[in-house]
Amino acid sequence: MNDIITLMKRRLKEVKRSGKKNPTGRIYLPKELVGTYVSYITYQELQQLERDIRRYRTIMNFMRHLLDSKNHTKMFSVISETWNPITGCTHYCIYCWARRLALTKLKNSKKYKDGFLPKLHPEEFKKKFKGGMVFVTDMGDLFSNGVPDEWIIRVIEHIKKFPNTYFLFLTKNPIRYLDFIDRFPPNAILGATIETNRDELYLNHSPRISLAPLPSLRYKVMKELKWDMKFVSIEPILDFDLEEFVEWIREINPFLVYVGYDNYNWKLPEPPLSKTLKLIRKISEFTLVVKKTIRPAWNESIINYKNKSSKS
Ligand code: SF4
């Protein structure tokens, strides 16, 4: 594999250095690499190949990390710790467990005594990391509007000091990733929550499910985001259109997807279990899927009961 990468890089450099436009759009490949079967690919294909190889390498490193971890049987538990240098959020999702915790049990604590609006905690920047995977800001959304750019930059500058640790970010406002994309170190994993492909579920549900940007906008941004380690969290899952949702995930091209139902009995508009299992099957064909809480929809037994009684 390393030999192939070296050869590809060398050839790519040659092509770039020559500065000539190949009239056929073809790049002839080193014999050592292709033997007698293929002799050329296009410049665009070569660039794509290079990107794929880079991504593949990053994923392999990540997988190695998972296997090395003591808890590799339960993938979500590879998160070795959470770090909350900034807490709070302005998205007001109805199902937010972090807000509930902050406003109830933790309401007298130093971090949450002023509520759940975004807040910086300077003392957290003394923190050092020694490998593993760190979930950054699970008690809020670091990229929600209301978090100043300088705070985000401070977080990124801090994680740069720890190249042997993976840092997992998760937001419902991924458009802000674009403002910092040149600053993130390669060990950052950039994720977005996309619970459904149906914007109307957000708009029509009463009260509105969240004030975060609509799922379709998150999908568009994540699709365009040029980053090797992207992931998608479909949690808490909301009802969806199977084919379109699978296509969204495919286009985003995440190396990892979490799928799970709501854990807090919010009676959200959930898909039936059989549909979710189909979704998991389909996306497992092209990416790694971590199953979290998977169960029948809260209203499934009621619907089944009604269907049965109307037939009888
Ligand atoms: S985006 Fe996350 S932290 Fe913010 S309100 Fe929604 S669930 Fe809570």
PDB file of all heavy atoms in Angstrom, residues 72-104:
ATOM      1  N   HIS A  72     -13.237  -2.218  22.925  1.00  0.00           N
ATOM      2  CA  HIS A  72     -13.592  -2.230  21.518  1.00  0.00           C
ATOM      3  C   HIS A  72     -14.847  -3.032  21.198  1.00  0.00           C
ATOM      4  O   HIS A  72     -15.371  -2.958  20.109  1.00  0.00           O
ATOM      5  CB  HIS A  72     -12.410  -2.712  20.661  1.00  0.00           C
ATOM      6  CG  HIS A  72     -12.038  -4.132  20.894  1.00  0.00           C
ATOM      7  ND1 HIS A  72     -11.086  -4.485  21.792  1.00  0.00           N
ATOM      8  CD2 HIS A  72     -12.503  -5.268  20.342  1.00  0.00           C
ATOM      9  CE1 HIS A  72     -10.954  -5.798  21.793  1.00  0.00           C
ATOM     10  NE2 HIS A  72     -11.800  -6.294  20.919  1.00  0.00           N
ATOM     11  N   THR A  73     -15.332  -3.829  22.146  1.00  0.00           N
ATOM     12  CA  THR A  73     -16.548  -4.580  21.852  1.00  0.00           C
ATOM     13  C   THR A  73     -17.757  -3.643  21.787  1.00  0.00           C
ATOM     14  O   THR A  73     -18.750  -3.943  21.170  1.00  0.00           O
ATOM     15  CB  THR A  73     -16.820  -5.639  22.927  1.00  0.00           C
ATOM     16  OG1 THR A  73     -16.660  -5.019  24.184  1.00  0.00           O
ATOM     17  CG2 THR A  73     -15.868  -6.807  22.794  1.00  0.00           C
ATOM     18  N   LYS A  74     -17.648  -2.502  22.473  1.00  0.00           N
ATOM     19  CA  LYS A  74     -18.768  -1.558  22.473  1.00  0.00           C
ATOM     20  C   LYS A  74     -18.232  -0.262  21.924  1.00  0.00           C
ATOM     21  O   LYS A  74     -17.587   0.509  22.620  1.00  0.00           O
ATOM     22  CB  LYS A  74     -19.237  -1.348  23.907  1.00  0.00           C
ATOM     23  CG  LYS A  74     -20.650  -1.819  24.117  1.00  0.00           C
ATOM     24  CD  LYS A  74     -21.089  -1.538  25.501  1.00  0.00           C
ATOM     25  CE  LYS A  74     -22.535  -1.083  25.464  1.00  0.00           C
ATOM     26  NZ  LYS A  74     -22.919  -0.380  26.635  1.00  0.00           N
ATOM     27  N   MET A  75     -18.492  -0.037  20.621  1.00  0.00           N
ATOM     28  CA  MET A  75     -17.757   1.034  19.980  1.00  0.00           C
ATOM     29  C   MET A  75     -17.987   2.408  20.566  1.00  0.00           C
ATOM     30  O   MET A  75     -17.081   3.212  20.626  1.00  0.00           O
ATOM     31  CB  MET A  75     -18.068   1.031  18.508  1.00  0.00           C
ATOM     32  CG  MET A  75     -17.004   0.251  17.815  1.00  0.00           C
ATOM     33  SD  MET A  75     -16.588   0.957  16.327  1.00  0.00           S
ATOM     34  CE  MET A  75     -17.575  -0.011  15.288  1.00  0.00           C
ATOM     35  N   PHE A  76     -19.235   2.683  20.994  1.00  0.00           N
ATOM     36  CA  PHE A  76     -19.470   4.033  21.486  1.00  0.00           C
ATOM     37  C   PHE A  76     -18.644   4.298  22.733  1.00  0.00           C
ATOM     38  O   PHE A  76     -18.265   5.418  23.013  1.00  0.00           O
ATOM     39  CB  PHE A  76     -20.960   4.236  21.769  1.00  0.00           C
ATOM     40  CG  PHE A  76     -21.311   5.686  21.859  1.00  0.00           C
ATOM     41  CD1 PHE A  76     -21.255   6.490  20.742  1.00  0.00           C
ATOM     42  CD2 PHE A  76     -21.667   6.261  23.065  1.00  0.00           C
ATOM     43  CE1 PHE A  76     -21.564   7.837  20.808  1.00  0.00           C
ATOM     44  CE2 PHE A  76     -21.978   7.598  23.147  1.00  0.00           C
ATOM     45  CZ  PHE A  76     -21.931   8.386  22.010  1.00  0.00           C
ATOM     46  N   SER A  77     -18.350   3.216  23.466  1.00  0.00           N
ATOM     47  CA  SER A  77     -17.622   3.423  24.706  1.00  0.00           C
ATOM     48  C   SER A  77     -16.145   3.699  24.463  1.00  0.00           C
ATOM     49  O   SER A  77     -15.401   3.865  25.408  1.00  0.00           O
ATOM     50  CB  SER A  77     -17.798   2.230  25.625  1.00  0.00           C
ATOM     51  OG  SER A  77     -17.324   1.096  24.975  1.00  0.00           O
ATOM     52  N   VAL A  78     -15.703   3.738  23.223  1.00  0.00           N
ATOM     53  CA  VAL A  78     -14.306   4.124  22.991  1.00  0.00           C
ATOM     54  C   VAL A  78     -14.103   5.604  23.284  1.00  0.00           C
ATOM     55  O   VAL A  78     -12.987   6.065  23.333  1.00  0.00           O
ATOM     56  CB  VAL A  78     -13.804   3.841  21.557  1.00  0.00           C
ATOM     57  CG1 VAL A  78     -13.772   2.376  21.285  1.00  0.00           C
ATOM     58  CG2 VAL A  78     -14.569   4.626  20.553  1.00  0.00           C
ATOM     59  N   ILE A  79     -15.173   6.334  23.494  1.00  0.00           N
ATOM     60  CA  ILE A  79     -14.998   7.719  23.926  1.00  0.00           C
ATOM     61  C   ILE A  79     -14.443   7.670  25.338  1.00  0.00           C
ATOM     62  O   ILE A  79     -15.103   7.212  26.270  1.00  0.00           O
ATOM     63  CB  ILE A  79     -16.321   8.488  23.846  1.00  0.00           C
ATOM     64  CG1 ILE A  79     -16.628   8.678  22.366  1.00  0.00           C
ATOM     65  CG2 ILE A  79     -16.247   9.824  24.563  1.00  0.00           C
ATOM     66  CD1 ILE A  79     -17.900   9.308  22.055  1.00  0.00           C
ATOM     67  N   SER A  80     -13.181   8.071  25.449  1.00  0.00           N
ATOM     68  CA  SER A  80     -12.527   7.887  26.738  1.00  0.00           C
ATOM     69  C   SER A  80     -12.936   8.977  27.728  1.00  0.00           C
ATOM     70  O   SER A  80     -12.930   8.746  28.923  1.00  0.00           O
ATOM     71  CB  SER A  80     -11.015   7.829  26.567  1.00  0.00           C
ATOM     72  OG  SER A  80     -10.580   8.665  25.538  1.00  0.00           O
ATOM     73  N   GLU A  81     -13.251  10.145  27.222  1.00  0.00           N
ATOM     74  CA  GLU A  81     -13.715  11.188  28.143  1.00  0.00           C
ATOM     75  C   GLU A  81     -14.444  12.282  27.370  1.00  0.00           C
ATOM     76  O   GLU A  81     -14.350  12.375  26.145  1.00  0.00           O
ATOM     77  CB  GLU A  81     -12.558  11.786  28.935  1.00  0.00           C
ATOM     78  CG  GLU A  81     -11.467  12.390  28.093  1.00  0.00           C
ATOM     79  CD  GLU A  81     -10.283  12.840  28.945  1.00  0.00           C
ATOM     80  OE1 GLU A  81     -10.498  13.609  29.912  1.00  0.00           O
ATOM     81  OE2 GLU A  81      -9.154  12.440  28.627  1.00  0.00           O
ATOM     82  N   THR A  82     -15.162  13.098  28.114  1.00  0.00           N
ATOM     83  CA  THR A  82     -15.792  14.264  27.493  1.00  0.00           C
ATOM     84  C   THR A  82     -15.068  15.488  28.042  1.00  0.00           C
ATOM     85  O   THR A  82     -14.533  15.465  29.146  1.00  0.00           O
ATOM     86  CB  THR A  82     -17.289  14.350  27.842  1.00  0.00           C
ATOM     87  OG1 THR A  82     -17.421  14.325  29.247  1.00  0.00           O
ATOM     88  CG2 THR A  82     -18.053  13.203  27.238  1.00  0.00           C
ATOM     89  N   TRP A  83     -15.056  16.528  27.234  1.00  0.00           N
ATOM     90  CA  TRP A  83     -14.375  17.766  27.646  1.00  0.00           C
ATOM     91  C   TRP A  83     -15.292  18.924  27.288  1.00  0.00           C
ATOM     92  O   TRP A  83     -15.734  19.043  26.142  1.00  0.00           O
ATOM     93  CB  TRP A  83     -13.029  17.862  26.890  1.00  0.00           C
ATOM     94  CG  TRP A  83     -12.256  19.107  27.178  1.00  0.00           C
ATOM     95  CD1 TRP A  83     -11.956  19.627  28.393  1.00  0.00           C
ATOM     96  CD2 TRP A  83     -11.656  19.982  26.211  1.00  0.00           C
ATOM     97  NE1 TRP A  83     -11.211  20.765  28.252  1.00  0.00           N
ATOM     98  CE2 TRP A  83     -11.015  21.011  26.917  1.00  0.00           C
ATOM     99  CE3 TRP A  83     -11.589  19.991  24.808  1.00  0.00           C
ATOM    100  CZ2 TRP A  83     -10.320  22.041  26.285  1.00  0.00           C
ATOM    101  CZ3 TRP A  83     -10.916  21.010  24.173  1.00  0.00           C
ATOM    102  CH2 TRP A  83     -10.279  22.024  24.910  1.00  0.00           C
ATOM    103  N   ASN A  84     -15.617  19.736  28.281  1.00  0.00           N
ATOM    104  CA  ASN A  84     -16.591  20.815  28.066  1.00  0.00           C
ATOM    105  C   ASN A  84     -15.997  22.194  28.335  1.00  0.00           C
ATOM    106  O   ASN A  84     -16.341  22.839  29.337  1.00  0.00           O
ATOM    107  CB  ASN A  84     -17.813  20.569  28.960  1.00  0.00           C
ATOM    108  CG  ASN A  84     -18.705  19.493  28.391  1.00  0.00           C
ATOM    109  OD1 ASN A  84     -19.407  19.696  27.395  1.00  0.00           O
ATOM    110  ND2 ASN A  84     -18.670  18.320  29.001  1.00  0.00           N
ATOM    111  N   PRO A  85     -15.101  22.659  27.458  1.00  0.00           N
ATOM    112  CA  PRO A  85     -14.532  23.990  27.660  1.00  0.00           C
ATOM    113  C   PRO A  85     -15.574  25.073  27.392  1.00  0.00           C
ATOM    114  O   PRO A  85     -15.452  26.208  27.853  1.00  0.00           O
ATOM    115  CB  PRO A  85     -13.416  24.064  26.618  1.00  0.00           C
ATOM    116  CG  PRO A  85     -13.846  23.119  25.534  1.00  0.00           C
ATOM    117  CD  PRO A  85     -14.622  22.035  26.217  1.00  0.00           C
ATOM    118  N   ILE A  86     -16.600  24.697  26.636  1.00  0.00           N
ATOM    119  CA  ILE A  86     -17.726  25.594  26.385  1.00  0.00           C
ATOM    120  C   ILE A  86     -18.983  24.773  26.619  1.00  0.00           C
ATOM    121  O   ILE A  86     -19.040  23.608  26.213  1.00  0.00           O
ATOM    122  CB  ILE A  86     -17.677  26.120  24.937  1.00  0.00           C
ATOM    123  CG1 ILE A  86     -16.644  27.255  24.867  1.00  0.00           C
ATOM    124  CG2 ILE A  86     -19.023  26.679  24.478  1.00  0.00           C
ATOM    125  CD1 ILE A  86     -15.772  27.212  23.705  1.00  0.00           C
ATOM    126  N   THR A  87     -19.935  25.339  27.291  1.00  0.00           N
ATOM    127  CA  THR A  87     -21.194  24.616  27.488  1.00  0.00           C
ATOM    128  C   THR A  87     -22.330  25.483  26.948  1.00  0.00           C
ATOM    129  O   THR A  87     -22.147  26.670  26.683  1.00  0.00           O
ATOM    130  CB  THR A  87     -21.444  24.350  28.991  1.00  0.00           C
ATOM    131  OG1 THR A  87     -21.344  25.604  29.678  1.00  0.00           O
ATOM    132  CG2 THR A  87     -20.434  23.372  29.556  1.00  0.00           C
ATOM    133  N   GLY A  88     -23.502  24.874  26.823  1.00  0.00           N
ATOM    134  CA  GLY A  88     -24.691  25.618  26.418  1.00  0.00           C
ATOM    135  C   GLY A  88     -24.926  25.611  24.926  1.00  0.00           C
ATOM    136  O   GLY A  88     -24.087  25.141  24.145  1.00  0.00           O
ATOM    137  N   CYS A  89     -26.055  26.146  24.562  1.00  0.00           N
ATOM    138  CA  CYS A  89     -26.487  26.021  23.171  1.00  0.00           C
ATOM    139  C   CYS A  89     -27.697  26.919  22.946  1.00  0.00           C
ATOM    140  O   CYS A  89     -28.424  27.244  23.885  1.00  0.00           O
ATOM    141  CB  CYS A  89     -26.870  24.557  22.954  1.00  0.00           C
ATOM    142  SG  CYS A  89     -27.501  24.197  21.327  1.00  0.00           S
ATOM    143  N   THR A  90     -27.913  27.297  21.690  1.00  0.00           N
ATOM    144  CA  THR A  90     -29.090  28.137  21.393  1.00  0.00           C
ATOM    145  C   THR A  90     -30.079  27.422  20.464  1.00  0.00           C
ATOM    146  O   THR A  90     -30.888  28.058  19.804  1.00  0.00           O
ATOM    147  CB  THR A  90     -28.633  29.456  20.718  1.00  0.00           C
ATOM    148  OG1 THR A  90     -27.827  29.125  19.577  1.00  0.00           O
ATOM    149  CG2 THR A  90     -27.849  30.337  21.657  1.00  0.00           C
ATOM    150  N   HIS A  91     -29.995  26.101  20.421  1.00  0.00           N
ATOM    151  CA  HIS A  91     -30.874  25.380  19.485  1.00  0.00           C
ATOM    152  C   HIS A  91     -32.207  24.919  20.097  1.00  0.00           C
ATOM    153  O   HIS A  91     -33.133  24.587  19.360  1.00  0.00           O
ATOM    154  CB  HIS A  91     -30.145  24.159  18.887  1.00  0.00           C
ATOM    155  CG  HIS A  91     -29.063  24.536  17.948  1.00  0.00           C
ATOM    156  ND1 HIS A  91     -27.924  23.786  17.775  1.00  0.00           N
ATOM    157  CD2 HIS A  91     -28.925  25.601  17.122  1.00  0.00           C
ATOM    158  CE1 HIS A  91     -27.142  24.361  16.890  1.00  0.00           C
ATOM    159  NE2 HIS A  91     -27.723  25.477  16.479  1.00  0.00           N
ATOM    160  N   TYR A  92     -32.261  24.854  21.381  1.00  0.00           N
ATOM    161  CA  TYR A  92     -33.512  24.518  22.074  1.00  0.00           C
ATOM    162  C   TYR A  92     -34.212  23.274  21.513  1.00  0.00           C
ATOM    163  O   TYR A  92     -35.414  23.304  21.254  1.00  0.00           O
ATOM    164  CB  TYR A  92     -34.484  25.707  22.043  1.00  0.00           C
ATOM    165  CG  TYR A  92     -33.956  26.925  22.751  1.00  0.00           C
ATOM    166  CD1 TYR A  92     -33.199  27.873  22.071  1.00  0.00           C
ATOM    167  CD2 TYR A  92     -34.204  27.116  24.108  1.00  0.00           C
ATOM    168  CE1 TYR A  92     -32.685  28.989  22.728  1.00  0.00           C
ATOM    169  CE2 TYR A  92     -33.691  28.232  24.770  1.00  0.00           C
ATOM    170  CZ  TYR A  92     -32.936  29.159  24.069  1.00  0.00           C
ATOM    171  OH  TYR A  92     -32.436  30.255  24.731  1.00  0.00           O
ATOM    172  N   CYS A  93     -33.471  22.200  21.318  1.00  0.00           N
ATOM    173  CA  CYS A  93     -34.118  20.954  20.862  1.00  0.00           C
ATOM    174  C   CYS A  93     -35.025  20.455  21.992  1.00  0.00           C
ATOM    175  O   CYS A  93     -34.620  20.485  23.163  1.00  0.00           O
ATOM    176  CB  CYS A  93     -33.086  19.872  20.557  1.00  0.00           C
ATOM    177  SG  CYS A  93     -31.823  20.429  19.413  1.00  0.00           S
ATOM    178  N   ILE A  94     -36.204  19.991  21.618  1.00  0.00           N
ATOM    179  CA  ILE A  94     -37.138  19.603  22.695  1.00  0.00           C
ATOM    180  C   ILE A  94     -36.637  18.385  23.452  1.00  0.00           C
ATOM    181  O   ILE A  94     -36.978  18.187  24.596  1.00  0.00           O
ATOM    182  CB  ILE A  94     -38.581  19.346  22.168  1.00  0.00           C
ATOM    183  CG1 ILE A  94     -38.578  18.324  21.025  1.00  0.00           C
ATOM    184  CG2 ILE A  94     -39.245  20.614  21.735  1.00  0.00           C
ATOM    185  CD1 ILE A  94     -39.985  17.869  20.648  1.00  0.00           C
ATOM    186  N   TYR A  95     -35.810  17.580  22.804  1.00  0.00           N
ATOM    187  CA  TYR A  95     -35.365  16.340  23.449  1.00  0.00           C
ATOM    188  C   TYR A  95     -34.004  16.492  24.145  1.00  0.00           C
ATOM    189  O   TYR A  95     -33.382  15.494  24.514  1.00  0.00           O
ATOM    190  CB  TYR A  95     -35.287  15.218  22.408  1.00  0.00           C
ATOM    191  CG  TYR A  95     -34.420  15.535  21.211  1.00  0.00           C
ATOM    192  CD1 TYR A  95     -33.039  15.587  21.328  1.00  0.00           C
ATOM    193  CD2 TYR A  95     -34.993  15.794  19.968  1.00  0.00           C
ATOM    194  CE1 TYR A  95     -32.239  15.889  20.243  1.00  0.00           C
ATOM    195  CE2 TYR A  95     -34.205  16.090  18.875  1.00  0.00           C
ATOM    196  CZ  TYR A  95     -32.838  16.132  19.017  1.00  0.00           C
ATOM    197  OH  TYR A  95     -32.054  16.436  17.935  1.00  0.00           O
ATOM    198  N   CYS A  96     -33.513  17.710  24.328  1.00  0.00           N
ATOM    199  CA  CYS A  96     -32.135  17.906  24.817  1.00  0.00           C
ATOM    200  C   CYS A  96     -31.958  17.463  26.280  1.00  0.00           C
ATOM    201  O   CYS A  96     -32.462  18.101  27.201  1.00  0.00           O
ATOM    202  CB  CYS A  96     -31.763  19.379  24.682  1.00  0.00           C
ATOM    203  SG  CYS A  96     -30.088  19.694  25.242  1.00  0.00           S
ATOM    204  N   TRP A  97     -31.216  16.394  26.471  1.00  0.00           N
ATOM    205  CA  TRP A  97     -30.968  15.906  27.839  1.00  0.00           C
ATOM    206  C   TRP A  97     -29.980  16.830  28.567  1.00  0.00           C
ATOM    207  O   TRP A  97     -30.050  17.000  29.776  1.00  0.00           O
ATOM    208  CB  TRP A  97     -30.439  14.464  27.835  1.00  0.00           C
ATOM    209  CG  TRP A  97     -29.118  14.332  27.123  1.00  0.00           C
ATOM    210  CD1 TRP A  97     -28.930  14.019  25.814  1.00  0.00           C
ATOM    211  CD2 TRP A  97     -27.818  14.534  27.682  1.00  0.00           C
ATOM    212  NE1 TRP A  97     -27.588  14.028  25.510  1.00  0.00           N
ATOM    213  CE2 TRP A  97     -26.880  14.331  26.645  1.00  0.00           C
ATOM    214  CE3 TRP A  97     -27.332  14.873  28.944  1.00  0.00           C
ATOM    215  CZ2 TRP A  97     -25.501  14.469  26.837  1.00  0.00           C
ATOM    216  CZ3 TRP A  97     -25.961  15.003  29.138  1.00  0.00           C
ATOM    217  CH2 TRP A  97     -25.070  14.794  28.084  1.00  0.00           C
ATOM    218  N   ALA A  98     -29.051  17.445  27.817  1.00  0.00           N
ATOM    219  CA  ALA A  98     -28.021  18.286  28.438  1.00  0.00           C
ATOM    220  C   ALA A  98     -28.670  19.524  29.072  1.00  0.00           C
ATOM    221  O   ALA A  98     -28.350  19.901  30.209  1.00  0.00           O
ATOM    222  CB  ALA A  98     -26.980  18.690  27.409  1.00  0.00           C
ATOM    223  N   ARG A  99     -29.571  20.146  28.333  1.00  0.00           N
ATOM    224  CA  ARG A  99     -30.267  21.329  28.867  1.00  0.00           C
ATOM    225  C   ARG A  99     -31.039  20.963  30.139  1.00  0.00           C
ATOM    226  O   ARG A  99     -30.995  21.660  31.147  1.00  0.00           O
ATOM    227  CB  ARG A  99     -31.237  21.868  27.800  1.00  0.00           C
ATOM    228  CG  ARG A  99     -32.241  22.896  28.316  1.00  0.00           C
ATOM    229  CD  ARG A  99     -33.201  23.309  27.217  1.00  0.00           C
ATOM    230  NE  ARG A  99     -32.464  23.986  26.163  1.00  0.00           N
ATOM    231  CZ  ARG A  99     -32.090  25.264  26.207  1.00  0.00           C
ATOM    232  NH1 ARG A  99     -32.418  26.004  27.243  1.00  0.00           N
ATOM    233  NH2 ARG A  99     -31.416  25.792  25.240  1.00  0.00           N
ATOM    234  N   ARG A 100     -31.732  19.822  30.050  1.00  0.00           N
ATOM    235  CA  ARG A 100     -32.545  19.402  31.200  1.00  0.00           C
ATOM    236  C   ARG A 100     -31.664  19.204  32.442  1.00  0.00           C
ATOM    237  O   ARG A 100     -31.972  19.666  33.521  1.00  0.00           O
ATOM    238  CB  ARG A 100     -33.292  18.115  30.854  1.00  0.00           C
ATOM    239  CG  ARG A 100     -34.536  17.920  31.692  1.00  0.00           C
ATOM    240  CD  ARG A 100     -35.549  17.043  31.020  1.00  0.00           C
ATOM    241  NE  ARG A 100     -34.908  15.945  30.320  1.00  0.00           N
ATOM    242  CZ  ARG A 100     -35.108  14.663  30.589  1.00  0.00           C
ATOM    243  NH1 ARG A 100     -35.935  14.313  31.529  1.00  0.00           N
ATOM    244  NH2 ARG A 100     -34.512  13.734  29.891  1.00  0.00           N
ATOM    245  N   LEU A 101     -30.539  18.523  32.209  1.00  0.00           N
ATOM    246  CA  LEU A 101     -29.611  18.258  33.316  1.00  0.00           C
ATOM    247  C   LEU A 101     -29.077  19.574  33.894  1.00  0.00           C
ATOM    248  O   LEU A 101     -29.031  19.777  35.109  1.00  0.00           O
ATOM    249  CB  LEU A 101     -28.451  17.410  32.768  1.00  0.00           C
ATOM    250  CG  LEU A 101     -27.502  16.789  33.760  1.00  0.00           C
ATOM    251  CD1 LEU A 101     -28.240  15.801  34.651  1.00  0.00           C
ATOM    252  CD2 LEU A 101     -26.375  16.060  33.008  1.00  0.00           C
ATOM    253  N   ALA A 102     -28.687  20.487  32.976  1.00  0.00           N
ATOM    254  CA  ALA A 102     -28.112  21.764  33.410  1.00  0.00           C
ATOM    255  C   ALA A 102     -29.128  22.593  34.205  1.00  0.00           C
ATOM    256  O   ALA A 102     -28.761  23.287  35.154  1.00  0.00           O
ATOM    257  CB  ALA A 102     -27.618  22.549  32.201  1.00  0.00           C
ATOM    258  N   LEU A 103     -30.385  22.514  33.809  1.00  0.00           N
ATOM    259  CA  LEU A 103     -31.389  23.366  34.453  1.00  0.00           C
ATOM    260  C   LEU A 103     -32.042  22.707  35.668  1.00  0.00           C
ATOM    261  O   LEU A 103     -32.852  23.321  36.348  1.00  0.00           O
ATOM    262  CB  LEU A 103     -32.474  23.765  33.445  1.00  0.00           C
ATOM    263  CG  LEU A 103     -31.987  24.554  32.214  1.00  0.00           C
ATOM    264  CD1 LEU A 103     -33.147  24.962  31.328  1.00  0.00           C
ATOM    265  CD2 LEU A 103     -31.163  25.770  32.616  1.00  0.00           C
ATOM    266  N   THR A 104     -31.712  21.454  35.904  1.00  0.00           N
ATOM    267  CA  THR A 104     -32.294  20.780  37.080  1.00  0.00           C
ATOM    268  C   THR A 104     -31.177  20.397  38.057  1.00  0.00           C
ATOM    269  O   THR A 104     -30.738  21.210  38.848  1.00  0.00           O
ATOM    270  CB  THR A 104     -33.122  19.547  36.647  1.00  0.00           C
ATOM    271  OG1 THR A 104     -32.298  18.702  35.836  1.00  0.00           O
ATOM    272  CG2 THR A 104     -34.357  19.951  35.875  1.00  0.00           C
TER     273      THR A 104
END
